[in-house]
């Protein structure tokens, strides 16, 4: 008995097989399809998502996220496990809040094997409208799908369908080119089709490149200004906008982050915007949804005159405002504008929506880092020493924050008087510059403890030998659970009668050499040093050295943040520092420190300065 022909259904199955073959998709991972599954999981906050395509009695999964084994390895599901077949058969979306309670799915093996308790699926179609499968979101708990989630899922399904069509069309183009070589007229038609497909391919590549660049570029940002700086270059390939703006949520307002590289930007005139203002960005913030203004007439009709005036001055005709959703709240709005009227298609909107997710993550991270930077800077500034007053010696200090603002740590300076040994004499002065290993809050905490310990050790060891003090510090660090290591110079300045030389006694624990400028301008490196201090070094033999400081001498103590640059020799930097001290040493000490900080911050030709934790400089100078 002959098998009965299934008619249209058999033809549809054949067309699906052909479409999958042309798209190059099978029961194997596909990076592009996996990306759509990840986007579904991220935007809809579901534990699992699939790109399921119908193939001869089963559903293959070229795109997948979050499925358990063995299905994750097999990349295929039987009909008993996949609700995709209902989407394929009906050609409609399938939205189920509670799978075990649904007549169609409650007997499905997917409930037990996949943990599918809720499901949302949108059809994926080829260029002829044939349903090839479904883009599905899988929840492990019952859930009520809201309109925004379904709209996001529909947008992503449209983008995924466009990708499938693009692959199918690309394969068809390659096949057609072989046939069209036989006829001139056919070749002309092939050329026209190729141009069209090339444009579609470029659009698809632009979208894919946008998402790739967003995931890579924005992961490296360190603050809101950095995020803002990268946005225009990031989005220039999609629709070629003429303006990209970033607004972050504040207390009942939006705060605009202006382009840090454009000091004359018109947007600086509107740095804050009430959330109730008649602006597209404010509406996107209030309603938590995308707001699209297709042309100036719509802007005039729906928004206030201030918005029209700003957009006219920015030269914008079309504007798209996307809400930036963080992990817990709405963080702000991304505004994209075009000078000429621009149609934002489904795939472009899907790509921009997906990119806004990466931007929101970068904004959330930047806000967290900015908050940490603010707290850390306050802590660092609170730890800085108030310089003591002295009659016959000048002392000045400079703390210069790091090039990378998030880096903060254990660089410090200290200066204080010792008890008077005899009435009427000027008191001895102790000065210290040090650097605790690390550029973080832990290093700053250890620095504060060590500075106090060093003061106490100094006062407990008359006659205040720097070497004896560092030896006592080594012993304490070996016993106490500080995990302290680093370098420092600890020095004693003994006073002399007016017009006479002061005496410098110092001990160097692995620190960059101090510089001593004599009154005639010559600069010497005080290179004598011992090993750095470390909790493992309990029995280090510390030494000390002594020099006479004639009136008008300058002693410069500094940390490595002043001289270290990536790809630049440290000895050359110290030589440069000595030269600057020689040339500018006759001016006031604060001005000298400013000159040293500014000149040493300039990178050498064709090289970039390595971000340092901080640069501290401390200059005592016996008065002339």
């Amino acid at each position: 008995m002959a098998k009965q022909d299934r008619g249209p259904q058999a033809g549809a199955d054949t067309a699906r097989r052909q479409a999958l073959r042309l798209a190059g998709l099978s029961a194997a991972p596909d990076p592009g399809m996996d990306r759509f599954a990840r986007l579904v999981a991220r935007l809809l906050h579901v534990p699992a998502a699939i790109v399921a395509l119908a193939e001869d009695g089963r559903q293959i999964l070229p795109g997948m996220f979050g499925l358990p084994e063995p299905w994750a390895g097999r990349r295929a599901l039987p009909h008993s496990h996949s609700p995709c077949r209902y989407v394929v058969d009906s050609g409609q979306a399938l939205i189920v809040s509670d799978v075990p309670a649904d007549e169609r799915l409650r007997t499905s093996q997917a409930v037990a094997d996949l943990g599918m308790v809720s499901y949302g699926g949108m059809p994926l179609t080829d260029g002829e409208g044939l349903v090839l499968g479904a883009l599905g979101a899988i929840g492990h708990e019952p859930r009520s799908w809201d309109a925004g989630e379904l709209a996001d899922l529909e947008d992503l399904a449209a983008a995924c369908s466009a990708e499938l069509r693009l692959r199918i069309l690309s394969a068809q183009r390659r096949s057609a080119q072989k046939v069209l070589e036989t006829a001139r007229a056919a070749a002309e038609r092939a050329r026209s089709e190729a141009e069209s497909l090339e444009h579609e391919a470029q659009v698809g590549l632009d979208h894919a490149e946008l998402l790739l660049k967003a995931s890579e570029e924005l992961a490296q940002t360190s603050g809101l200004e950095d995020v803002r700086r990268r946005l225009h270059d990031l989005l220039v390939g999609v629709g070629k906008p003429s303006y990209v703006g970033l607004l972050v949520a504040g207390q009942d307002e939006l705060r605009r982050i202006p382009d840090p590289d454009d000091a004359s930007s018109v947007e600086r005139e509107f740095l804050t915007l009430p959330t109730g203002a008649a602006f597209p960005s404010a509406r996107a913030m209030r309603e938590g949804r995308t707001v699209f203004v297709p042309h100036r007439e719509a802007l005039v009709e729906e928004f206030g005159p201030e918005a029209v005036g700003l957009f006219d001055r920015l030269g914008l005709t079309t504007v798209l405002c996307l809400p930036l959703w963080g992990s817990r709240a709405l963080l702000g709005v991304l505004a994209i504008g075009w000078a000429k009227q621009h149609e934002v298609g489904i795939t472009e909107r899907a790509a921009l929506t997906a990119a806004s997710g990466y931007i929101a993550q970068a904004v959330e991270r930047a806000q967290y880092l900015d908050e940490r930077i603010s707290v850390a800077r306050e802590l660092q500034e609170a730890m800085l020493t108030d310089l003591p007053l002295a009659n016959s010696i000048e002392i000045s200090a400079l703390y210069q924050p790091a090039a990378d603002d998030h880096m903060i740590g254990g660089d410090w300076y200290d200066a204080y008087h010792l008890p008077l040994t005899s009435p009427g004499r000027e008191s001895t002065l102790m000065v210290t510059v040090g650097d605790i290993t690390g550029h973080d809050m832990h290093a700053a905490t250890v620095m504060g403890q060590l500075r106090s310990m060093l003061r106490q050790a100094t006062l407990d060891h008359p006659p205040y030998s720097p070497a004896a003090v560092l030896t006592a510090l080594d012993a304490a660090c070996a016993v106490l659970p500080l995990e302290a290591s680093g370098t420092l110079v600890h020095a004693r300045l003994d006073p002399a009668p007016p017009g006479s030389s002061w005496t410098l006694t110092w001990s160097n624990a692995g620190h960059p050499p101090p510089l001593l400028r004599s009154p005639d301008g010559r600069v010497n490196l005080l290179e004598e040093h011992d090993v750095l201090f470390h909790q493992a070094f309990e029995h280090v033999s510390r030494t000390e050295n002594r020099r006479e400081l004639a009136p008008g001498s300058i002693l410069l103590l500094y940390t490595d943040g002043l001289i270290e640059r990536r790809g630049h020799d440290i000895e050359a930097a110290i030589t440069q520092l000595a030269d600057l001290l020689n040339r500018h040493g006759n001016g006031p000490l604060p001005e000298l420190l400013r000159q040293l900080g500014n000149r040493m911050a300039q990178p050498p030709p064709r090289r970039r300065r390595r971000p340092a934790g901080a640069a501290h400089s401390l200059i005592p100078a016996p008065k002339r």
Side-chain angles (χ1 to χ4, degrees):
M1 181 176 180
K3 183 177 179 181
Q4 184 178 1
D5 185 7
R6 293 183 295 155
Q9 181 60 45
D13 290 343
T14 301
R16 290 190 187 97
R17 285 194 298 270
Q18 176 71 359
L20 294 185
R21 184 185 66 79
L22 292 173
L25 297 173
S26 63
D30 180 271
M33 298 298 107
D34 277 343
R35 185 178 297 113
F36 279 107
R38 289 194 301 272
L39 287 172
V40 169
R42 185 178 302 119
L43 288 178
L44 273 67
H45 307 289
V46 294
I50 56 175
V51 176
L53 302 174
E55 181 195 73
D56 293 339
R58 64 174 185 166
Q59 308 293 324
I60 62 171
L61 307 176
M64 181 204 71
F65 176 85
L67 284 192
E69 294 292 347
W71 315 111
R74 292 177 182 175
R75 288 278 179 161
L77 295 173
H79 274 317
S80 60
H81 288 67
S82 178
C84 168
R85 67 182 189 274
Y86 293 100
V87 178
V88 173
D89 292 343
S90 67
Q92 302 293 324
L94 177 63
I95 309 299
V96 182
S97 299
D98 190 348
V99 171
D102 188 88
E103 280 293 326
R104 296 161 294 181
L105 302 178
R106 64 184 180 185
T107 60
S108 172
Q109 294 296 319
V111 177
D113 291 355
L114 305 182
M116 182 187 296
V117 180
S118 54
Y119 174 81
M122 293 290 176
L124 300 175
T125 60
D126 67 4
E128 303 300 324
L130 177 66
V131 179
L132 303 178
L135 180 65
I138 297 173
H140 293 166
E141 297 177 357
R143 68 184 289 168
S144 178
W145 305 89
D146 64 37
E149 291 171 333
L150 296 180
D152 288 344
L153 184 58
E154 185 178 11
D155 286 346
L156 288 173
C160 187
S161 294
E163 175 70 12
L164 292 173
R165 295 169 192 164
L166 179 60
R167 296 188 186 193
I168 293 169
L169 287 172
S170 297
Q172 290 171 339
R173 182 188 67 173
R174 292 190 297 269
S175 176
Q177 284 176 337
K178 295 178 181 179
V179 176
L180 295 176
E181 291 173 353
T182 60
R184 185 174 182 179
E188 181 63 25
R189 290 194 298 271
R191 185 190 64 81
S192 177
E193 182 181 354
E195 289 179 354
S196 176
L197 290 174
E198 184 178 357
H199 173 72
E200 291 186 30
Q202 186 59 54
V203 171
L205 288 174
D206 287 345
H207 294 167
E209 183 180 2
L210 168 64
L211 298 181
L212 179 61
K213 286 177 62 178
S215 65
E216 293 177 347
E217 289 288 327
L218 295 176
Q220 308 301 321
T221 54
S222 58
L224 286 174
E225 283 193 356
D226 193 16
V227 174
R228 175 64 181 86
R229 179 178 284 110
R230 299 182 189 225
L231 282 184
H232 190 273
D233 290 341
L234 175 67
L235 297 173
V236 69
V238 178
K240 297 179 174 55
S242 55
Y243 170 78
V244 179
L246 176 63
L247 301 96
V248 296
Q251 185 67 32
D252 297 326
E253 67 178 14
L254 283 170
R255 178 168 61 91
R256 193 181 303 276
I257 308 299
D259 185 348
D261 299 325
D262 185 2
S264 62
S265 175
V266 174
E267 63 178 353
R268 291 180 182 274
E269 300 175 15
F270 293 84
L271 292 179
T272 59
L273 187 67
T275 53
F279 276 71
S281 52
R283 177 181 292 180
M285 183 69 191
R286 288 193 306 272
E287 301 178 5
R289 65 174 181 86
T290 299
V291 173
F292 179 57
V293 183
H295 42 68
R296 189 178 186 279
E297 290 74 14
L299 183 69
V300 172
E301 182 179 349
E302 298 183 34
F303 299 97
E306 287 188 340
V308 176
L310 174 61
F311 283 33
D312 284 347
R313 294 186 64 189
L314 289 171
L316 302 181
T317 300
T318 300
V319 177
L320 180 70
C321 294
L322 297 160
L324 298 175
W325 287 98
S327 58
R328 297 183 179 179
L330 185 55
L331 304 176
V333 174
L334 174 68
I336 306 172
W338 291 265
K340 296 181 179 179
Q341 188 168 333
H342 180 73
E343 294 296 330
V344 181
I346 293 176
T347 56
E348 182 178 346
R349 181 175 294 199
L352 292 173
T353 299
S356 71
Y358 288 108
I359 295 169
Q361 292 177 18
V363 168
E364 191 166 39
R365 183 172 58 254
Q367 289 178 327
Y368 173 71
L369 289 175
D370 286 346
E371 183 178 353
R372 288 189 62 191
I373 291 166
S374 176
V375 173
R377 281 185 169 176
E378 289 179 9
L379 173 62
Q380 190 87 50
E381 291 175 3
M383 289 182 172
L384 298 180
T385 299
D386 291 331
L387 297 179
L389 299 176
N391 293 326
S392 58
I393 192 169
E394 296 179 47
I395 184 168
S396 185
L398 170 70
Y399 168 70
Q400 186 166 294
D404 278 359
D405 287 341
H406 68 280
M407 299 180 73
I408 194 158
D411 293 24
W412 92 94
Y413 62 81
D414 200 5
Y416 50 92
H417 290 293
L418 293 178
L420 285 172
T421 56
S422 57
R425 290 194 60 186
E426 188 167 355
S427 61
T428 296
L429 186 68
M430 299 300 298
V431 293
T432 311
V433 166
D435 181 7
I436 300 298
T437 303
H439 294 291
D440 53 24
M441 293 295 291
H442 174 72
T445 302
V446 173
M447 176 270 286
Q449 294 174 297
L450 247 78
R451 186 178 67 171
S452 298
M453 290 169 58
L454 196 61
R455 283 191 171 196
Q456 185 65 49
T458 300
L459 295 174
D460 283 348
H461 290 80
Y464 314 113
S465 160
V469 171
L470 293 188
T471 300
L473 182 67
D474 288 329
C477 289
V479 175
L480 298 174
L482 286 179
E483 298 184 1
S485 64
T487 65
L488 64 86
V489 174
H490 191 51
R492 188 181 73 243
L493 291 167
D494 293 305
S500 301
S501 298
W502 279 57
T503 302
L504 166 69
T505 306
W506 82 95
S507 185
N508 187 331
H511 201 73
L515 302 181
L516 179 61
R517 184 184 189 274
S518 59
D520 61 5
R522 289 179 300 169
V523 177
N524 295 312
L525 272 68
L526 306 184
E527 297 183 287
E528 299 86 349
H529 67 87
D530 303 321
V531 298
L532 55 76
F533 66 90
H534 191 279
Q535 64 265 30
F537 301 161
E538 182 178 1
H539 304 292
V540 177
S541 178
R542 296 291 180 187
T543 61
E544 63 186 28
N545 301 274
R546 183 172 298 176
R547 287 286 183 95
E548 297 298 317
L549 303 183
S553 300
I554 295 177
L555 174 67
L556 174 64
L557 306 175
Y558 55 93
T559 64
D560 60 4
L562 191 65
I563 57 173
E564 279 195 357
R565 305 182 185 107
R566 186 181 300 277
H568 192 63
D569 184 68
I570 290 181
E571 291 185 0
I574 294 176
T575 300
Q576 178 190 2
L577 181 61
D579 181 64
L580 290 171
L581 182 59
N582 167 266
R583 288 189 286 118
H584 300 284
N586 291 325
L589 294 189
E591 175 62 20
L592 172 59
L593 284 178
R594 189 186 66 81
Q595 290 277 2
L596 296 180
N598 290 343
R599 298 294 181 87
M600 295 300 293
Q602 296 173 4
R606 288 188 289 273
R607 298 202 180 184
R608 295 181 61 191
R609 184 161 71 97
R610 183 179 74 83
H616 291 88
S617 301
L618 182 69
I619 295 187
K623 293 181 179 178
R624 299 174 175 83

